[in-house]
Amino acid sequence: MTILSNTQASEKIPLWRDERILRIVAQIVSAVVVLAFLFWGVTNFLRITQQRGMPLTYNFLREPAGFPISEGFLTYDPTMSFGRAFLVGLINTLVVSGSGIVLASILGLIIGLARLSSNWLLSRIALAYIEFHRNIPLLVLMFLWYFGVFAKLPSVKESIAMPGPSYLSQRGLYITFPRLTETGSIFLIFSGIGVILAFAAFYILRHIRENTGRETHFGLTSLGLFLLLTIAGWFLSGGEPFWMDKPSMQGFNFQGGFRLSPEFTALLVSLTMYTAAFIAEVVRSGIQAVHRGQVEAARALGLRSPQVMSLIVLPQALRVIIPPLISQYLNLTKNSSLALTIGFQELFAISKITINQAGRAVPVFLMVMLTYLAISLLTSLVLNVYNRKVQFVER
Amino acid sequence: MRKILILIVSLLVISLVAVACASQAPSPEKVVETVVVTVEVPAEQAPVQPQGYGTIANRVRERGKVVCGVHTELLGFGYLDENGRNIGFDVDLCRAVAAAMFGDPEAVELVPITAADRGPVLQTGEVDMVSRNMTWTSKRDAEWGNFTWITFYDGQGFLVHSDSGIKTLQDMDGASICVTTGTTTEKNLATTFADAGLSYEAVTFEETSAVYGAYEEGRCDVATSDKSQLAAVSAGFANPKDHVILDITISKEPLTPAVPSGDDQWFDIVKSVMWGLINAEEYGVTSSNIEEMKSSDNANIRTMLGEEGDWGYSVLGLEPDSLAKAVAAVGNYGELYNHYFGPNGIAFTLPRGLNSLWSEGGMIYAPPIK
């Protein structure tokens, strides 16, 4: 009866009052409006760039850049192209945000745990840290670290000498660093193979023991394999795979050694400390989301405090932690673009110079936006896959 | 305009043809009539002017203000005085244009821009004029906009700590050098050092204040920029005597105000004002004696001050006494220079050198106003 009356009712409703149809129509209309607006925007943009003689071409990327870049992980000099300079910037961004993410995660986890500690002093210190860093702008923090701390270090002539030898001054930290000799690559290849073989042996032999119960000494065997190959590599490379690259004062600056520049360090420190405060809060909320009963049950089973944390609480907390953690990682990556104020030349800083030197604002900005978009999407893709793995498998 | 007329005419033709078809009665006379209308179109055309002529100038007139991209942190050229007023040599050039346009040097909107912003704001027409310590190069001229008239001849030099022992370019091998990004300075530095086979560490910042902050702290051994800027900045250091500007010049830096391209009228207006300031100094017209000079015996002076003849103001849409107002507002070129950089300049002291009038052995020269 009800079905019948329903169908009768729907037959009676005229088209313009049928909610289902109205909904579809509303969606189509809004889609058309949005698409029309987009179309208008894009055509308008293309027309204006043509009119102003700034066509959307990327030929300039092959022209020599002409400007210096203070530090980078690729070889670069001013005679190389704008494209190369962009690449140097991209790598700089990836390195600083990659190391920032790792360091901020570790620091954030520690502070988040400290915040929940039953030790009153520890948890208050963590609280003070979090509130300080969450409530001042990142840019201020960067200036504080760069001009307030690193620039106030002793001048290069009065560097603090430390064992190693390593030297700390306002020009950065120079440390003695082992570098490969000519034959060093042989050693490196052998120990690389050693690591791979050791892992393979470890897993295979352990698998055999787990299945057959026969003792296979998997730990000792894999360690032996690794040591054997490493020692073989050492002798094959003539006993000197490395030489120590020691920094020494030459003229105005130290030469040689491994250098952490004040610009890079200030950026890394401020990004890490700032983001760690947010990650600490994420960690805290994740841990507090795990039911208290779980902890009590674990204690009742006789697990010790670190075991409760690593075996029971953290694996469950991860499910809550990861989604907001992803956005913190993305924030860190994007915030690295503030580096241009403290003289570290990453993607955005180099792009701004390129805009000025090549006079191509629109194409370069498009490139920058697309690059950041690609980095962010890639980061969230990887973390989303991981997130899916740690979620409950529901049956 | 013409397109619209043709469109109307062709619509008319189509409708007439349609009417003709509908009525099944051929009426060729009416079609002939419409052809007559198309002939009238060229007669209605306005006098030939380049596309875009007057667009920026009209925009400025409607707004009642000149929007200028300026510096706010460079002593002498564009900076804030103790009352927070944006003053300086470059800023006064902008005020001179405003005085010529509206008789009021305060009819300006000063937009602080960074070195790297100068190109984009010109290309997009965000400002009417950039008067911010900008070197004129062929590439910038081609890509950014129209450069008006060189108002300051500068060259890139080096500022070093007195105790560093640096005297020559070769002494700087391996030094850390602070430099502003997005400038010709940065490129000159790279080429000069590459040509001399010297190495250096570039420490680059976007903000001028950060560059000299880092230099003064000792992060760099050397700071490089235009000599005028080095003189300006080192005058503001805690111990100006601990710093020396080396006697090395590695580039030509003709500092020039620029306008967005596309409007020749506006381009000409700004140029005329620059010429007016220079000619005023040549003829000895100052902001204080300008009223007496209006009745000068020299016809050139009377023309420039708008007492007789047309120096071009009517085509530019200016008043006869526009240049007189500009000079009255900011002074002639020499007064302007001395106000900021002269022996008793309020910013710092920099010998005029190349920036003396051509008649006094310098390079400052402008076409006659007549």
Side-chain angles (χ1 to χ4, degrees):
Chain A
M1 188 59 204
T2 46
I3 294 163
L4 192 70
S5 67
N6 265 349
T7 50
Q8 279 175 340
S10 65
E11 275 164 15
K12 276 179 200 163
I13 293 175
L15 274 184
W16 57 89
R17 279 166 61 191
D18 189 331
E19 249 182 52
R20 285 172 307 171
I21 289 173
L22 283 181
R23 257 182 226 153
I24 294 168
V25 170
Q27 293 206 20
I28 291 173
V29 168
S30 42
V32 166
V33 168
V34 169
L35 285 179
F37 182 74
L38 274 179
F39 179 76
W40 172 79
V42 170
T43 47
N44 191 37
F45 161 75
L46 288 176
R47 192 172 52 82
I48 286 174
T49 50
Q50 287 294 336
Q51 237 176 36
R52 292 189 191 266
M54 300 190 290
L56 204 56
T57 55
Y58 284 90
N59 297 333
F60 70 92
L61 283 179
R62 277 191 288 270
E63 290 169 23
F67 58 85
I69 297 178
S70 28
E71 58 184 313
F73 296 87
L74 289 180
T75 47
Y76 170 85
D77 69 72
T79 53
M80 290 179 173
S81 66
F82 283 118
R84 179 74 174 193
F86 190 84
L87 209 62
V88 173
L90 175 63
I91 304 279
N92 278 356
T93 291
L94 290 178
V95 168
V96 80
S97 43
S99 14
I101 283 173
V102 172
L103 293 176
S105 305
I106 297 170
L107 187 63
L109 179 67
I110 294 171
I111 294 167
L113 292 177
R115 174 85 182 80
L116 288 171
S117 165
S118 50
N119 183 326
W120 184 87
L121 185 64
L122 196 60
S123 90
R124 290 299 119 166
I125 291 174
L127 177 70
Y129 175 92
I130 292 170
E131 291 308 324
F132 176 76
H133 284 91
R134 281 210 311 180
N135 292 302
I136 58 168
L138 178 55
L139 195 59
V140 175
L141 202 63
M142 282 184 177
F143 271 71
L144 188 75
W145 275 105
Y146 186 67
F147 287 105
V149 177
F150 288 100
K152 300 286 179 200
L153 287 171
S155 76
V156 68
K157 293 198 181 86
E158 295 151 6
S159 299
I160 306 168
M162 290 183 297
S166 54
Y167 302 95
L168 180 67
S169 73
Q170 61 183 186
R171 301 274 169 91
L173 176 66
Y174 289 82
I175 47 182
T176 304
F177 192 72
R179 291 192 193 279
L180 288 179
T181 54
E182 278 174 34
T183 52
S185 50
I186 302 176
F187 172 75
L188 214 62
I189 291 168
F190 266 78
S191 42
I193 296 171
V195 170
I196 295 167
L197 283 182
F199 267 103
F202 184 87
Y203 282 108
I204 293 168
L205 292 175
R206 191 176 66 171
H207 187 73
I208 292 172
R209 191 187 75 163
E210 277 171 357
N211 287 345
T212 64
R214 197 154 46 84
E215 181 54 76
T216 50
H217 303 289
F218 57 87
L220 280 177
T221 317
S222 48
L223 188 68
L225 261 176
F226 170 69
L227 284 178
L228 192 74
L229 276 156
T230 311
I231 292 166
W234 180 277
F235 282 109
L236 279 174
S237 66
E240 271 196 349
F242 297 112
W243 60 281
M244 298 313 273
D245 187 5
K246 289 181 187 167
S248 62
M249 189 69 178
Q250 279 168 18
F252 296 101
N253 283 310
F254 284 101
Q255 304 292 336
F258 177 79
R259 180 191 180 206
L260 273 175
S261 76
E263 291 80 23
F264 175 82
T265 319
L267 177 67
L268 186 61
V269 167
S270 43
L271 278 178
T272 301
M273 296 194 74
Y274 181 78
T275 315
F278 291 88
I279 292 181
E281 284 295 274
V282 169
V283 168
R284 182 176 68 95
S285 69
I287 289 174
Q288 283 180 335
V290 177
H291 197 273
R292 237 198 114 59
Q294 298 272 340
V295 180
E296 284 163 3
R299 290 238 176 86
L301 284 173
L303 295 181
R304 272 166 295 152
S305 216
Q307 284 178 317
V308 174
M309 190 49 78
S310 63
L311 294 176
I312 308 295
V313 179
L314 277 184
Q316 298 186 71
L318 268 186
R319 304 188 171 105
V320 183
I321 289 174
I322 287 181
L325 196 60
I326 299 176
S327 47
Q328 291 309 326
Y329 287 173
L330 298 186
N331 276 346
L332 187 143
T333 311
K334 290 184 289 179
N335 285 342
S336 70
S337 60
L338 288 172
L340 85 167
T341 54
I342 56 166
F344 181 70
Q345 293 181 304
E346 39 63 72
L347 184 64
F348 188 58
I350 288 177
S351 303
K352 290 246 339 191
I353 305 172
T354 304
I355 287 171
N356 203 259
Q357 303 289 15
R360 291 275 184 282
V362 178
V364 176
F365 260 109
L366 273 180
M367 248 165 93
V368 172
M369 284 194 292
L370 288 178
T371 310
Y372 275 113
L373 191 67
I375 297 174
S376 294
L377 287 180
L378 218 63
T379 314
S380 41
L381 180 77
V382 170
L383 283 165
N384 277 328
V385 169
Y386 179 65
N387 186 32
R388 210 160 298 146
K389 272 181 72 178
V390 298
Q391 291 303 327
F392 279 114
V393 182
E394 293 185 16
R395 286 176 233 270
Chain B
M1 189 64 191
R2 188 177 180 172
K3 267 187 188 166
I4 293 170
L5 274 176
I6 292 173
L7 189 73
I8 293 169
V9 168
S10 44
L11 273 178
L12 207 63
V13 173
I14 291 169
S15 57
L16 283 174
V17 171
V19 169
C21 292
S23 62
Q24 298 285 335
S27 48
E29 302 93 338
K30 281 180 186 171
V31 177
V32 172
E33 254 181 295
T34 58
V35 172
V36 177
V37 180
T38 55
V39 177
E40 282 173 8
V41 174
E44 287 175 3
Q45 262 188 336
V48 182
Q49 258 173 355
Q51 204 191 356
Y53 191 84
T55 45
I56 300 174
N58 287 334
R59 201 173 69 199
V60 174
R61 286 185 196 106
E62 275 164 33
R63 198 194 297 120
K65 267 183 181 177
V66 182
V67 179
C68 283
V70 296
H71 213 310
T72 52
E73 290 175 357
L74 183 58
L75 191 66
F77 288 91
Y79 62 109
L80 304 179
D81 66 5
E82 56 271 23
N83 304 319
R85 205 172 104 94
N86 203 167
I87 57 168
F89 182 83
D90 283 338
V91 178
D92 279 359
L93 293 178
C94 176
R95 291 187 199 277
V97 174
M101 290 289 286
F102 308 110
D104 176 12
E106 297 307 315
V108 288
E109 190 181 325
L110 302 172
V111 183
I113 54 172
T114 64
D117 286 337
R118 292 172 303 186
V121 296
L122 278 174
Q123 286 170 327
T124 56
E126 255 175 77
V127 297
D128 305 320
M129 177 178 170
V130 168
S131 183
R132 187 205 173 279
N133 207 248
M134 178 163 57
T135 302
W136 184 1
T137 68
S138 59
K139 189 170 184 193
R140 286 180 177 177
D141 197 323
E143 287 175 352
W144 287 4
N146 287 325
F147 284 71
T148 56
W149 204 253
I150 300 171
T151 53
F152 198 101
Y153 290 89
D154 211 342
Q156 185 173 345
F158 297 95
L159 179 69
V160 300
H161 300 271
S162 317
D163 58 2
S164 67
I166 300 175
K167 296 270 186 296
T168 66
L169 198 62
Q170 273 65 34
D171 291 345
M172 285 185 234
D173 197 13
S176 299
I177 301 180
C178 280
V179 59
T180 319
T181 62
T183 54
T184 44
T185 317
E186 202 179 16
K187 285 183 112 168
N188 293 336
L189 179 68
T191 27
T192 307
F193 272 66
D195 290 349
L198 303 174
S199 68
Y200 68 103
E201 183 208 12
V203 183
T204 57
F205 300 91
E206 204 184 27
E207 295 289 335
T208 320
S209 55
V211 173
Y212 296 103
Y215 164 78
E216 202 183 2
E217 291 282 2
R219 173 66 187 84
C220 302
D221 305 295
V222 181
T224 182
S225 186
D226 297 347
K227 283 184 168 175
S228 64
Q229 195 181 77
L230 295 177
V233 171
S234 60
F237 280 168
N239 299 306
K241 293 204 172 65
D242 294 351
H243 306 273
V244 184
I245 298 172
L246 296 182
D247 201 16
I248 307 169
T249 308
I250 61 166
S251 72
K252 292 190 287 186
E253 306 287 342
L255 305 184
T256 311
V259 295
S261 49
D263 178 4
D264 287 359
Q265 190 184 38
W266 178 240
F267 185 32
D268 288 344
I269 290 173
V270 177
K271 271 192 295 188
S272 305
V273 175
M274 304 300 136
W275 297 342
L277 300 182
I278 295 170
N279 275 289
E281 188 187 4
E282 259 184 64
Y283 290 127
V285 178
T286 67
S287 51
S288 44
N289 71 4
I290 198 159
E291 287 308 320
E292 303 146 36
M293 281 296 192
K294 278 183 179 169
S295 50
S296 159
D297 296 336
N298 188 331
N300 286 338
I301 296 177
R302 291 201 304 273
T303 307
M304 180 169 77
L305 299 181
E307 294 302 305
E308 64 185 47
D310 184 350
W311 51 265
Y313 60 80
S314 53
V315 175
L316 298 181
L318 294 175
E319 302 294 320
D321 63 344
S322 282
L323 293 182
K325 283 178 189 156
V327 174
V330 303
N332 64 35
Y333 181 87
E335 280 182 280
L336 191 54
Y337 188 98
N338 286 330
H339 182 57
Y340 290 107
F341 316 126
N344 301 312
I346 60 169
F348 53 89
T349 301
L350 191 72
R352 272 188 81 169
L354 284 181
N355 295 306
S356 307
L357 282 182
W358 63 281
S359 48
E360 287 157 22
M363 301 266 286
I364 295 297
Y365 184 97
I369 301 287
K370 56 164 97 173

mmCIF file of all heavy atoms in Angstrom, chain B residues 302-328:
data_model
loop_
_atom_site.group_PDB
_atom_site.id
_atom_site.type_symbol
_atom_site.label_atom_id
_atom_site.label_comp_id
_atom_site.label_asym_id
_atom_site.label_seq_id
_atom_site.Cartn_x
_atom_site.Cartn_y
_atom_site.Cartn_z
ATOM 1 N N ARG B 302 61.645 81.303 -19.452
ATOM 2 C CA ARG B 302 60.218 81.667 -19.423
ATOM 3 C C ARG B 302 59.375 80.549 -20.027
ATOM 4 O O ARG B 302 58.308 80.224 -19.529
ATOM 5 C CB ARG B 302 59.998 82.992 -20.173
ATOM 6 C CG ARG B 302 60.602 84.197 -19.462
ATOM 7 C CD ARG B 302 59.966 85.489 -19.922
ATOM 8 N NE ARG B 302 60.058 85.688 -21.375
ATOM 9 C CZ ARG B 302 61.110 86.260 -21.990
ATOM 10 N NH1 ARG B 302 62.143 86.678 -21.288
ATOM 11 N NH2 ARG B 302 61.090 86.395 -23.297
ATOM 12 N N THR B 303 59.904 79.905 -21.098
ATOM 13 C CA THR B 303 59.171 78.801 -21.720
ATOM 14 C C THR B 303 59.049 77.638 -20.741
ATOM 15 O O THR B 303 57.977 77.068 -20.553
ATOM 16 C CB THR B 303 59.901 78.327 -22.992
ATOM 17 O OG1 THR B 303 60.111 79.448 -23.826
ATOM 18 C CG2 THR B 303 59.091 77.265 -23.716
ATOM 19 N N MET B 304 60.189 77.323 -20.108
ATOM 20 C CA MET B 304 60.183 76.167 -19.200
ATOM 21 C C MET B 304 59.211 76.380 -18.052
ATOM 22 O O MET B 304 58.528 75.456 -17.620
ATOM 23 C CB MET B 304 61.596 75.943 -18.655
ATOM 24 C CG MET B 304 61.708 74.787 -17.704
ATOM 25 S SD MET B 304 63.421 74.395 -17.369
ATOM 26 C CE MET B 304 63.837 75.689 -16.228
ATOM 27 N N LEU B 305 59.120 77.618 -17.575
ATOM 28 C CA LEU B 305 58.254 77.892 -16.430
ATOM 29 C C LEU B 305 56.812 78.165 -16.857
ATOM 30 O O LEU B 305 55.963 78.474 -16.016
ATOM 31 C CB LEU B 305 58.811 79.068 -15.617
ATOM 32 C CG LEU B 305 60.225 78.798 -15.054
ATOM 33 C CD1 LEU B 305 60.706 79.986 -14.238
ATOM 34 C CD2 LEU B 305 60.247 77.545 -14.194
ATOM 35 N N GLY B 306 56.548 78.073 -18.165
ATOM 36 C CA GLY B 306 55.169 78.149 -18.629
ATOM 37 C C GLY B 306 54.660 79.551 -18.863
ATOM 38 O O GLY B 306 53.453 79.766 -18.925
ATOM 39 N N GLU B 307 55.571 80.532 -18.960
ATOM 40 C CA GLU B 307 55.137 81.908 -19.167
ATOM 41 C C GLU B 307 54.826 82.190 -20.627
ATOM 42 O O GLU B 307 53.994 83.031 -20.934
ATOM 43 C CB GLU B 307 56.204 82.886 -18.661
ATOM 44 C CG GLU B 307 56.415 82.853 -17.163
ATOM 45 C CD GLU B 307 55.137 83.152 -16.388
ATOM 46 O OE1 GLU B 307 54.524 84.205 -16.641
ATOM 47 O OE2 GLU B 307 54.737 82.316 -15.548
ATOM 48 N N GLU B 308 55.502 81.493 -21.528
ATOM 49 C CA GLU B 308 55.232 81.708 -22.956
ATOM 50 C C GLU B 308 55.579 80.448 -23.742
ATOM 51 O O GLU B 308 56.404 79.644 -23.310
ATOM 52 C CB GLU B 308 56.051 82.903 -23.473
ATOM 53 C CG GLU B 308 57.555 82.670 -23.402
ATOM 54 C CD GLU B 308 58.356 83.904 -23.795
ATOM 55 O OE1 GLU B 308 58.033 84.986 -23.301
ATOM 56 O OE2 GLU B 308 59.301 83.754 -24.590
ATOM 57 N N GLY B 309 54.921 80.281 -24.881
ATOM 58 C CA GLY B 309 55.221 79.141 -25.741
ATOM 59 C C GLY B 309 54.719 77.829 -25.172
ATOM 60 O O GLY B 309 54.215 77.766 -24.036
ATOM 61 N N ASP B 310 54.823 76.795 -25.976
ATOM 62 C CA ASP B 310 54.374 75.474 -25.557
ATOM 63 C C ASP B 310 55.571 74.529 -25.598
ATOM 64 O O ASP B 310 56.108 74.253 -26.667
ATOM 65 C CB ASP B 310 53.269 74.979 -26.507
ATOM 66 C CG ASP B 310 52.704 73.636 -26.057
ATOM 67 O OD1 ASP B 310 53.286 73.012 -25.149
ATOM 68 O OD2 ASP B 310 51.679 73.226 -26.626
ATOM 69 N N TRP B 311 56.027 74.076 -24.442
ATOM 70 C CA TRP B 311 57.159 73.135 -24.428
ATOM 71 C C TRP B 311 56.714 71.701 -24.635
ATOM 72 O O TRP B 311 57.505 70.767 -24.503
ATOM 73 C CB TRP B 311 57.972 73.263 -23.156
ATOM 74 C CG TRP B 311 57.183 73.211 -21.871
ATOM 75 C CD1 TRP B 311 56.713 74.275 -21.173
ATOM 76 C CD2 TRP B 311 56.778 72.055 -21.161
ATOM 77 N NE1 TRP B 311 56.011 73.860 -20.077
ATOM 78 C CE2 TRP B 311 56.043 72.487 -20.045
ATOM 79 C CE3 TRP B 311 56.932 70.684 -21.347
ATOM 80 C CZ2 TRP B 311 55.469 71.620 -19.120
ATOM 81 C CZ3 TRP B 311 56.372 69.812 -20.433
ATOM 82 C CH2 TRP B 311 55.638 70.285 -19.327
ATOM 83 N N GLY B 312 55.403 71.542 -24.964
ATOM 84 C CA GLY B 312 54.897 70.190 -25.205
ATOM 85 C C GLY B 312 53.805 69.802 -24.248
ATOM 86 O O GLY B 312 53.223 68.728 -24.352
ATOM 87 N N TYR B 313 53.494 70.713 -23.306
ATOM 88 C CA TYR B 313 52.533 70.365 -22.255
ATOM 89 C C TYR B 313 51.145 70.065 -22.791
ATOM 90 O O TYR B 313 50.433 69.237 -22.233
ATOM 91 C CB TYR B 313 52.472 71.450 -21.182
ATOM 92 C CG TYR B 313 52.057 72.825 -21.672
ATOM 93 C CD1 TYR B 313 50.718 73.114 -21.880
ATOM 94 C CD2 TYR B 313 52.997 73.833 -21.896
ATOM 95 C CE1 TYR B 313 50.330 74.373 -22.331
ATOM 96 C CE2 TYR B 313 52.626 75.081 -22.335
ATOM 97 C CZ TYR B 313 51.278 75.357 -22.562
ATOM 98 O OH TYR B 313 50.898 76.566 -23.006
ATOM 99 N N SER B 314 50.732 70.751 -23.884
ATOM 100 C CA SER B 314 49.345 70.580 -24.331
ATOM 101 C C SER B 314 49.109 69.144 -24.805
ATOM 102 O O SER B 314 48.093 68.538 -24.496
ATOM 103 C CB SER B 314 49.010 71.586 -25.423
ATOM 104 O OG SER B 314 49.977 71.492 -26.447
ATOM 105 N N VAL B 315 50.080 68.580 -25.551
ATOM 106 C CA VAL B 315 49.922 67.199 -26.009
ATOM 107 C C VAL B 315 49.988 66.237 -24.836
ATOM 108 O O VAL B 315 49.302 65.211 -24.804
ATOM 109 C CB VAL B 315 50.997 66.859 -27.067
ATOM 110 C CG1 VAL B 315 50.920 65.397 -27.459
ATOM 111 C CG2 VAL B 315 50.827 67.748 -28.278
ATOM 112 N N LEU B 316 50.819 66.562 -23.837
ATOM 113 C CA LEU B 316 50.972 65.664 -22.692
ATOM 114 C C LEU B 316 49.822 65.810 -21.698
ATOM 115 O O LEU B 316 49.737 65.068 -20.724
ATOM 116 C CB LEU B 316 52.294 65.942 -21.976
ATOM 117 C CG LEU B 316 53.554 65.701 -22.814
ATOM 118 C CD1 LEU B 316 54.790 65.996 -21.993
ATOM 119 C CD2 LEU B 316 53.584 64.267 -23.317
ATOM 120 N N GLY B 317 48.930 66.773 -21.924
ATOM 121 C CA GLY B 317 47.803 66.965 -21.016
ATOM 122 C C GLY B 317 48.227 67.575 -19.693
ATOM 123 O O GLY B 317 47.596 67.345 -18.664
ATOM 124 N N LEU B 318 49.308 68.371 -19.721
ATOM 125 C CA LEU B 318 49.774 69.025 -18.494
ATOM 126 C C LEU B 318 49.434 70.507 -18.542
ATOM 127 O O LEU B 318 48.966 71.033 -19.558
ATOM 128 C CB LEU B 318 51.289 68.849 -18.348
ATOM 129 C CG LEU B 318 51.817 67.427 -18.132
ATOM 130 C CD1 LEU B 318 53.335 67.422 -18.143
ATOM 131 C CD2 LEU B 318 51.301 66.851 -16.827
ATOM 132 N N GLU B 319 49.704 71.205 -17.438
ATOM 133 C CA GLU B 319 49.517 72.651 -17.379
ATOM 134 C C GLU B 319 50.803 73.318 -17.879
ATOM 135 O O GLU B 319 51.877 72.708 -17.813
ATOM 136 C CB GLU B 319 49.265 73.083 -15.930
ATOM 137 C CG GLU B 319 48.076 72.425 -15.267
ATOM 138 C CD GLU B 319 46.768 72.837 -15.925
ATOM 139 O OE1 GLU B 319 46.637 74.024 -16.277
ATOM 140 O OE2 GLU B 319 45.896 71.966 -16.109
ATOM 141 N N PRO B 320 50.712 74.587 -18.320
ATOM 142 C CA PRO B 320 51.939 75.278 -18.768
ATOM 143 C C PRO B 320 52.995 75.328 -17.667
ATOM 144 O O PRO B 320 54.184 75.214 -17.933
ATOM 145 C CB PRO B 320 51.447 76.684 -19.110
ATOM 146 C CG PRO B 320 49.988 76.544 -19.337
ATOM 147 C CD PRO B 320 49.514 75.395 -18.515
ATOM 148 N N ASP B 321 52.545 75.481 -16.403
ATOM 149 C CA ASP B 321 53.529 75.637 -15.323
ATOM 150 C C ASP B 321 53.797 74.331 -14.579
ATOM 151 O O ASP B 321 54.248 74.360 -13.431
ATOM 152 C CB ASP B 321 53.054 76.718 -14.349
ATOM 153 C CG ASP B 321 51.750 76.331 -13.672
ATOM 154 O OD1 ASP B 321 51.077 75.406 -14.179
ATOM 155 O OD2 ASP B 321 51.405 76.954 -12.652
ATOM 156 N N SER B 322 53.547 73.202 -15.225
ATOM 157 C CA SER B 322 53.742 71.912 -14.545
ATOM 158 C C SER B 322 55.183 71.715 -14.091
ATOM 159 O O SER B 322 55.436 71.268 -12.970
ATOM 160 C CB SER B 322 53.340 70.761 -15.467
ATOM 161 O OG SER B 322 51.942 70.637 -15.485
ATOM 162 N N LEU B 323 56.135 72.045 -14.979
ATOM 163 C CA LEU B 323 57.539 71.853 -14.609
ATOM 164 C C LEU B 323 57.925 72.816 -13.493
ATOM 165 O O LEU B 323 58.684 72.467 -12.588
ATOM 166 C CB LEU B 323 58.441 72.054 -15.827
ATOM 167 C CG LEU B 323 58.285 70.994 -16.920
ATOM 168 C CD1 LEU B 323 59.263 71.257 -18.054
ATOM 169 C CD2 LEU B 323 58.478 69.608 -16.350
ATOM 170 N N ALA B 324 57.362 74.029 -13.540
ATOM 171 C CA ALA B 324 57.636 75.009 -12.476
ATOM 172 C C ALA B 324 57.163 74.444 -11.142
ATOM 173 O O ALA B 324 57.845 74.562 -10.113
ATOM 174 C CB ALA B 324 56.918 76.314 -12.790
ATOM 175 N N LYS B 325 55.998 73.807 -11.162
ATOM 176 C CA LYS B 325 55.469 73.235 -9.914
ATOM 177 C C LYS B 325 56.376 72.118 -9.406
ATOM 178 O O LYS B 325 56.596 71.979 -8.203
ATOM 179 C CB LYS B 325 54.063 72.680 -10.156
ATOM 180 C CG LYS B 325 52.983 73.740 -10.237
ATOM 181 C CD LYS B 325 51.651 73.060 -10.532
ATOM 182 C CE LYS B 325 50.566 74.056 -10.838
ATOM 183 N NZ LYS B 325 49.516 73.424 -11.655
ATOM 184 N N ALA B 326 56.896 71.298 -10.348
ATOM 185 C CA ALA B 326 57.773 70.196 -9.943
ATOM 186 C C ALA B 326 59.022 70.744 -9.283
ATOM 187 O O ALA B 326 59.443 70.269 -8.219
ATOM 188 C CB ALA B 326 58.132 69.343 -11.157
ATOM 189 N N VAL B 327 59.632 71.777 -9.919
ATOM 190 C CA VAL B 327 60.856 72.362 -9.360
ATOM 191 C C VAL B 327 60.558 73.025 -8.016
ATOM 192 O O VAL B 327 61.318 72.900 -7.056
ATOM 193 C CB VAL B 327 61.486 73.369 -10.351
ATOM 194 C CG1 VAL B 327 62.671 74.075 -9.719
ATOM 195 C CG2 VAL B 327 61.902 72.646 -11.628
ATOM 196 N N ALA B 328 59.415 73.707 -7.936
ATOM 197 C CA ALA B 328 59.052 74.368 -6.680
ATOM 198 C C ALA B 328 58.880 73.339 -5.566
ATOM 199 O O ALA B 328 59.195 73.592 -4.404
ATOM 200 C CB ALA B 328 57.767 75.175 -6.874
#
